[in-house]
Amino acid sequence: PPVRAQLLPLESARPLWQHPVPSDGSRWARVLNVVLAGLLALLVVGTLAFFAASLGMSVFLICGSLALVPLGICLLSLYWIDRWEPEPRSALAFAFCWGAGMSVVAALVVGRWVEPILLAGTSITDAATVSAVLRAPLVEETCKGLGVLLIFLLRRRTFDGPIDGVVYAGTVAAGFAFTENILYFGTAMAGTPQIGREVIVTFLVRGLMSPFAHVMFTATMGAIVGFAARRGNTLLVVAAWAVGLVPAMGLHALWNSSSLATGNFFAFYAVLQLPLFLLYVLGIVLLRASEARLTRRRLADYVTTGWITAAEVTMLATARGRHQAIAWARPFGGTKTMKSLIKVATRLAFTRQRILLTPAPAQLRKDEGALLRQIGDVRETLLSQLNSPVTPVRPSHQQFNP
């Protein structure tokens, strides 16, 4: 049917603008989110305390400090990836705690049970090879991936595209790599609080040359889940999750295989690992560009019904327009409000896309109406700030030209 027929009429919803956007799930779901987040945070603390007791406090502090370097690199990169449509901080904290705590503990426990089975079921007799090429990819990617699937089930309203999947999965993986790096650095230190050659080499390889390894593996699965999440079908998402584990495990096994190469690591790094990383970066850039195009197309749907003007589409759905809009709002103290308007509009665009792809989008249409009303509220707040008599600098509307 025509776009106009699918959209909420402007006049029918205008009187309800004061209503807030519905929260992400029912009250019990919010309580469940808080409880699970608290338990995961305690598990992270317990895991790190166990490592501190096993390695010794001085060794643990040194290793933890070294592990913060690749963690910072990964989280800053994920922050940049997530700038177009930022995910809730609570959901990202949940993802990190799952990776740093639950997935590490589960991988250690399940791995000890799985490794003998893999040794008995394959012709490979070297335990180190089986552990690196079979056990680690199979167990670790499954444990990390379960966190991504759980985030979708608990926060599906904020999980609506491949970039969301990359960010959530990457955050889980960054948490996992942080805890794992502490263990690797501690093993390299061999119980002595001194940074020797083996520690430096391990830090260079894991911390500086390949800090994104785990992020890339799990983010591949996350992107596949994100594409499925856009259609809102839980069974489709679960199927996509299972399919996404295959390339995640494959990349993990391939990466670990190259790491086992004796005497040829740097050759493998240049021929295999570095091109994989560059391909990953290219994929992220293309996905981000796709999100920007989608935002512009979906917001343009509302121009015909009067909810959004053509100028606002340019302002809210292009990088240049957003930058100019924030700069325009800054002199009269409207920066935070303008950023809120951009965030709500982007959420609206993604909700609109899911409506078009979902067979029975009743709940999504309610969310759409609430988001449209919130855009009206934020717009009115922004204009009231612009016209406030206490504003030291009051640029006119004509000063903004997106």
Side-chain angles (χ1 to χ4, degrees), residues 174-200:
F176 181 92
F178 169 70
T179 307
E180 187 184 55
N181 280 335
I182 294 176
L183 188 59
Y184 270 92
F185 297 152
T187 302
M189 292 184 73
T192 60
Q194 297 178 356
I195 301 178
R197 180 180 180 277
E198 187 174 353
V199 178
I200 294 174

Side-chain angles (χ1 to χ4, degrees), residues 45-46 72 82 101 144 159 251 280 299 370:
V45 173
D82 195 35
K144 289 184 289 181
F159 201 135
L251 286 172
Y280 173 81
L299 289 183

Side-chain angles (χ1 to χ4, degrees), residues 10-21:
L10 177 63
E11 297 304 325
S12 67
R14 188 187 294 273
L16 302 177
W17 274 9
Q18 68 272 20
H19 290 190
V21 174

Side-chain angles (χ1 to χ4, degrees), residues 202-224:
T202 304
F203 175 74
L204 288 175
V205 172
R206 293 186 62 88
L208 298 181
M209 295 180 66
S210 56
F212 297 103
H214 276 288
V215 172
M216 289 193 302
F217 309 149
T218 314
T220 304
M221 178 270 298
I224 295 172

Side-chain angles (χ1 to χ4, degrees), residues 318-393:
T318 65
R320 181 183 179 187
R322 290 181 172 190
H323 177 76
Q324 291 181 341
I326 292 172
W328 172 79
R330 188 174 296 118
F332 60 89
T335 301
K336 184 176 180 180
T337 308
M338 179 61 77
K339 289 182 177 179
S340 178
L341 180 62
I342 292 170
K343 181 178 179 180
V344 175
T346 309
R347 178 92 178 270
L348 172 65
F350 281 76
T351 301
R352 175 73 183 152
Q353 178 69 9
R354 292 174 66 183
I355 288 173
L356 297 177
L357 296 176
T358 304
Q363 180 58 50
L364 291 172
R365 288 194 178 280
K366 293 180 182 178
D367 294 345
E368 177 191 36
L371 288 165
L372 285 167
R373 293 189 290 271
Q374 189 174 17
I375 282 182
D377 289 339
V378 177
R379 185 192 286 119
E380 289 179 358
T381 301
L382 186 65
L383 293 178
S384 67
Q385 290 175 323
L386 172 65
N387 297 316
S388 172
V390 298
T391 301
V393 180

Side-chain angles (χ1 to χ4, degrees), residues 140-192:
E140 292 176 8
E141 294 309 318
T142 301
C143 293
K144 289 184 289 181
L146 285 172
V148 178
L149 184 60
L150 183 60
I151 291 170
F152 166 78
L153 295 175
L154 294 175
R155 308 295 292 263
R156 64 177 63 205
R157 280 191 178 130
T158 64
F159 201 135
D160 48 23
I163 286 291
D164 291 358
V166 167
V167 170
Y168 283 132
T171 304
V172 170
F176 181 92
F178 169 70
T179 307
E180 187 184 55
N181 280 335
I182 294 176
L183 188 59
Y184 270 92
F185 297 152
T187 302
M189 292 184 73
T192 60

